[in-house]
Amino acid sequence: MKFGHFDDAGREYVITNPRTPWPWINYLGNEDFFSLISNTAGGYSFYKDAKFRRITRYRYNNVPMDSGGRYFYIKDGDTVWSPGWKPCKTDLDSYECRHGMNYTRITGEKDGIKAETLFFVPLKTWAEVQKLTLTNNTSKTRKLKIFSFAEWCLWNAATDMENFQRNFSTGEVETEGSVIYHKTEYKERRNHYAYYSVNVPISGFDTDRETFFGLYNGFDEPRVVLEGRARNSEAHGWSPIASHYLEVELKPGESEDLVFVLGYVENIQEGKWESKNIINKKKAKETIARFDTAPKVDAALEDLRNYWDNLLSIFTIDSGEKKLDRMVNIWNQYQCMITFCFSRSASFFESGIGRGMGFRDSNQDLIGFVHQIPDRARERIIDIASTQFPDGGCYHQYQPLNKRGNNDIGGGFNDDPMWLILGTTSYIKETGDFSILDEQVPFDNDMSVARSLFDHLTVSFDHVINNLGPHGLPLIGRADWNDCLNLNCFSEDPDESFQTTENKTEGSRAESVMIAGLFVVYGRDYIELCRKTGRQDEAERASRHVNEMIVTIKKHGWDGGWFLRAYDFFGNKVGSKDNEEGKIFIESNGWCTMAGIGSDEGLCKKALDAVKERLDCSHGIVLNNPAFTKYYIEYGEISSYPVGYKENAGVFCHNNPWIMIGETVAGNGGRAWKYYRKICPSYLEDISELHKTEPYVYSQMIAGKDAFNPGEAKNSWLTGTAAWNFYAVTQYILGIRPGYDGLIIDPCIPEDWKSYRVTRKFRGSIYHIEVTNPASVSKGVKEVSVDGEIIKSNVVPLFEDGENHTVKVILG
Ligand code: BGC
Ligand code: NOJ
């Protein structure tokens, strides 16, 4: 069952039934000011950091789901309704929500009145702009009462939910004209405040929540709205809100635009006040003035659209396969930008409070957007590397506001360092900017021990070889990519965190075959980079280690039919035919087949076949099999999940592309493509009632074959799945891959694909690539011509000339 449809030309998903199986959300803003918005206008806003600068309040895990947001109430006689259906849930004559690229438009119609709401954060603006357009489609003059609504959060989203004995006494507001200012704690250490404005004179306002709703009323029946008049309440403590009251009269056919701005301001210490206790409103007024008419708002939306036109013009495909094209051209790239902005912090599954930016996550996210915003990728790489320790280990997370490593989590995840090589080399291949390697980058944010970024890569590489276990495989530490395989945790206490507890480390023999495979893949990238930059000796040294690792994997990491996953604390095999449960895992088989380890001896083929036989199901490739049916203290969190969910045999979508890429390395385009489609949201639109999450973005997890409800997805939006699928489909299936010296063309497609076209902007030129497959092969480039001339290799040279170039590729 579907709840809407794609509008590819408008780059929108159009939801036509507000009762989606879960709130289907969108993100506004892509730089400093952000909002989450559901298809019924639920959600919240924050500046940079969802924990420390939360602007509006959100209640998680609420009943009903998704209560609270930016709401408009329309009182028309005795009827009260909202354009987004919620919170009033009054039946609408029509409803539509269009989620687009960083904007959302929700339109409701009731009794001949149409209310269209547009929400977006204009570029370079610290505010969410809301345009409400009311139209009278009847032949009578209509008088409407409009109430806006936003609820202030008392800044720190964590203490906002904890410390009521203080919070209920601190709330402060100011109202001037049509603007409501939220200034809680501004008197003391905050130099920032928030505001909510409308571009016309108001007939009243409310800033005290209890006055507005009545203590025992929900969002669906605010007392003030039911009574049809504002009370001009001023909040002193308790729970400050912002609501404007407007009276609108519309003649037959008439339309009126109202523009609301929900913004954030920072002042300098000396310029905080206008007069005693009166905040300096200058900056707020400047922003409000930028959007005080509908045409100004429309122009800003146009700028945003142009911005996205540009971003999405860098890689476009025309394959004739609609569902593929819309993912590659629009939604997958869009989701990559969102994961770049938020890492794993703020979604409808992540509170924005618990987690900052992940070290491994942010590096992996980078491969999905580096082509769009290379400058910001550069900055991101430096930020991430700055939280590394001198020995190459890393803080697992850092806070976006202060860019410092997060002490609560610490480090010890032994895969983390290698991802920095992926992030950095991806950036250089895209841009050709080797100068980033010379940047002086601190360790643990301490500039006095700064070294070049290249040195950071060296210590990353060395961190693996300096931490090898008894088989010569990398020690796993707290966990590798799989946060939940906690081989040194041994927890019997439910109050301990699996991921930060290591009750046993002394004498641990816990090793990771996944990190071993990762080390081979990115070790080779490191070697290539050394050679490119004239570091021959270092390249030789690194090669020896990589070759040794390959030998070690074949010797100690191969289980006969597939690659082992790990050795546990005691040195026992994990992911082996000898295990009763968890005989085979996806991660090590992904990384070792991507590395092509033992492909000559048939190891990769065997491993990929085993994955197909034991892990594949109709919803994707599950993480492990058989699922763990009991708690294994020596494995940790992975065995805490019920079977089929999350890391315990769920389809953990992030790692499915590793197998897709492994299949392309082995030349099986057909299989890679089948795996791609199984988890690709646009192909799942028809089963939305089962899949549950948005059909336009990837989710972290789809319940696996052993689960109670296979096929049901969770944790949409913020997942490395976005970047990895984009990377797998564009670089390995479609096979258009940036290299240091040019654009590498190396497709691996289903044999029955006849042709496709890709336009790729790369290093200052525009390549129009046409791939044809007359011999019905899966892989193998027979001929490449550039601007009519046949070239000798499959690397399209750089022109850096701002011109268009025609590339014709014949497979065979
Ligand atoms: C989840 C992981 C997630 C981790 C982050 C775990 O409980 O299963 O997927 O990465 O929490 O803290
Ligand atoms: C989500 C985390 O963000 C990521 O870092 C981790 O690799 C996966 N879960 C798998 O556990």
Side-chain angles (χ1 to χ4, degrees), residues 489-494 496-498 501 503 631 633:
C489 176
F490 289 89
S491 180
E492 281 175 301
D493 175 356
E496 281 175 345
S497 147
F498 281 113
T501 304
N503 284 322
Y631 178 50
I633 192 170

Side-chain angles (χ1 to χ4, degrees), residues 400-421:
L401 199 61
N402 58 22
K403 298 186 172 177
R404 283 180 183 270
N406 195 333
N407 269 317
D408 302 342
I409 319 280
F413 295 79
N414 284 351
D415 63 315
D416 273 336
M418 286 315 285
W419 301 110
L420 186 62
I421 299 181

Side-chain angles (χ1 to χ4, degrees), residues 355 483-484 499 637 641 646-647 652 700:
R355 300 170 66 190
D483 284 329
C484 300
Q499 295 177 22
E637 184 169 350
Y641 286 110
K646 294 281 287 177
E647 282 89 339
F652 211 94
Q700 181 205 51

Side-chain angles (χ1 to χ4, degrees), residues 55-103:
I55 294 167
T56 52
R57 178 171 290 146
Y58 197 70
R59 292 169 184 75
Y60 304 92
N61 208 351
N62 209 349
V63 177
M65 182 55 202
D66 188 27
S67 301
R70 69 291 275 153
Y71 292 138
F72 293 109
Y73 297 92
I74 301 174
K75 183 162 162 63
D76 177 8
D78 288 335
T79 310
V80 177
W81 59 285
S82 297
W85 181 58
K86 280 183 76 171
C88 298
K89 294 203 288 182
T90 307
D91 278 336
L92 300 177
D93 300 332
S94 76
Y95 158 91
E96 183 187 86
C97 167
R98 290 180 170 262
H99 284 317
M101 304 290 105
N102 283 148
Y103 69 89

Side-chain angles (χ1 to χ4, degrees), residues 185-226:
E185 292 182 350
Y186 189 78
K187 189 160 69 247
E188 27 123 337
R189 293 157 301 167
R190 294 189 185 277
N191 287 358
H192 45 264
Y193 61 79
Y195 59 91
Y196 193 31
S197 70
V198 60
N199 67 336
V200 293
I202 52 178
S203 304
F205 63 87
D206 276 287
T207 68
D208 177 61
R209 193 178 75 198
E210 191 179 322
T211 310
F212 183 74
F213 284 108
L215 188 54
Y216 294 103
N217 291 9
F219 287 106
D220 56 336
E221 41 177 16
R223 178 172 67 188
V224 154
V225 179
L226 297 183

Side-chain angles (χ1 to χ4, degrees), residues 207-468:
T207 68
D208 177 61
R209 193 178 75 198
E210 191 179 322
T211 310
F212 183 74
F213 284 108
L215 188 54
Y216 294 103
N217 291 9
F219 287 106
D220 56 336
E221 41 177 16
R223 178 172 67 188
V224 154
V225 179
L226 297 183
E227 290 174 358
R229 69 187 173 91
R231 298 210 180 178
N232 297 348
S233 60
E234 192 180 319
H236 297 279
W238 297 112
S239 307
I241 60 154
S243 172
H244 306 96
Y245 167 52
L246 301 141
E247 290 168 355
V248 175
E249 189 178 304
L250 295 173
K251 297 201 185 62
E254 199 186 359
S255 217
E256 181 169 338
D257 293 307
L258 300 167
V259 181
F260 298 82
V261 178
L262 177 75
Y264 170 87
V265 161
E266 277 181 4
N267 279 331
I268 52 165
Q269 180 64 25
E270 305 73 54
K272 276 180 79 162
W273 304 101
E274 203 169 288
S275 58
K276 182 155 167 86
N277 289 337
I278 301 296
I279 62 178
N280 180 347
K281 306 186 177 64
K282 188 164 166 278
K283 286 189 181 173
K285 287 180 182 170
E286 281 166 8
T287 303
I288 292 166
R290 282 175 54 212
F291 306 104
D292 58 1
T293 66
K296 288 188 190 173
V297 173
D298 296 342
L301 184 69
E302 200 49 36
D303 289 346
L304 181 65
R305 202 184 290 281
N306 293 338
Y307 171 84
W308 274 103
D309 280 345
N310 184 34
L311 287 186
L312 296 177
S313 70
I314 299 165
F315 193 112
T316 58
I317 178 179
D318 173 10
S319 71
E321 169 90 13
K322 251 188 351 212
K323 293 177 182 172
L324 169 67
D325 290 1
R326 65 168 61 115
M327 286 313 294
V328 171
N329 293 336
I330 306 169
W331 292 99
N332 197 176
Q333 296 201 57
Y334 181 58
Q335 188 179 0
C336 287
M337 167 65 110
I338 302 300
T339 59
F340 161 72
C341 292
F342 299 96
S343 190
R344 308 294 171 267
S345 64
S347 73
F348 270 32
F349 296 89
E350 304 271 12
S351 67
I353 296 170
R355 300 170 66 190
M357 314 288 285
F359 191 99
R360 74 159 85 91
D361 295 334
S362 296
N363 275 302
Q364 292 172 77
D365 291 345
L366 212 129
I367 63 177
F369 71 83
V370 61
H371 62 292
Q372 294 183 335
I373 37 174
D375 294 348
R376 293 176 71 188
R378 191 182 206 275
E379 181 186 341
R380 177 63 57 81
I381 291 166
I382 309 280
D383 289 347
I384 299 171
S386 305
T387 65
Q388 193 170 29
F389 299 114
D391 74 347
C394 316
Y395 272 110
H396 198 46
Q397 290 170 17
Y398 71 95
Q399 281 310 126
L401 199 61
N402 58 22
K403 298 186 172 177
R404 283 180 183 270
N406 195 333
N407 269 317
D408 302 342
I409 319 280
F413 295 79
N414 284 351
D415 63 315
D416 273 336
M418 286 315 285
W419 301 110
L420 186 62
I421 299 181
L422 167 67
T424 307
T425 53
S426 301
Y427 167 78
I428 301 175
K429 286 177 193 166
E430 179 65 37
T431 58
D433 172 20
F434 285 93
S435 77
I436 190 174
L437 295 172
D438 304 325
E439 290 290 335
Q440 291 297 304
V441 181
F443 287 105
D444 192 3
N445 287 100
D446 178 356
M447 242 356 231
S448 72
V449 288
R451 289 193 16 219
S452 72
L453 181 64
F454 185 86
D455 288 347
H456 280 259
L457 302 188
T458 308
V459 295
S460 293
F461 182 90
D462 285 353
H463 189 267
V464 174
I465 54 183
N466 291 338
N467 290 282
L468 298 178

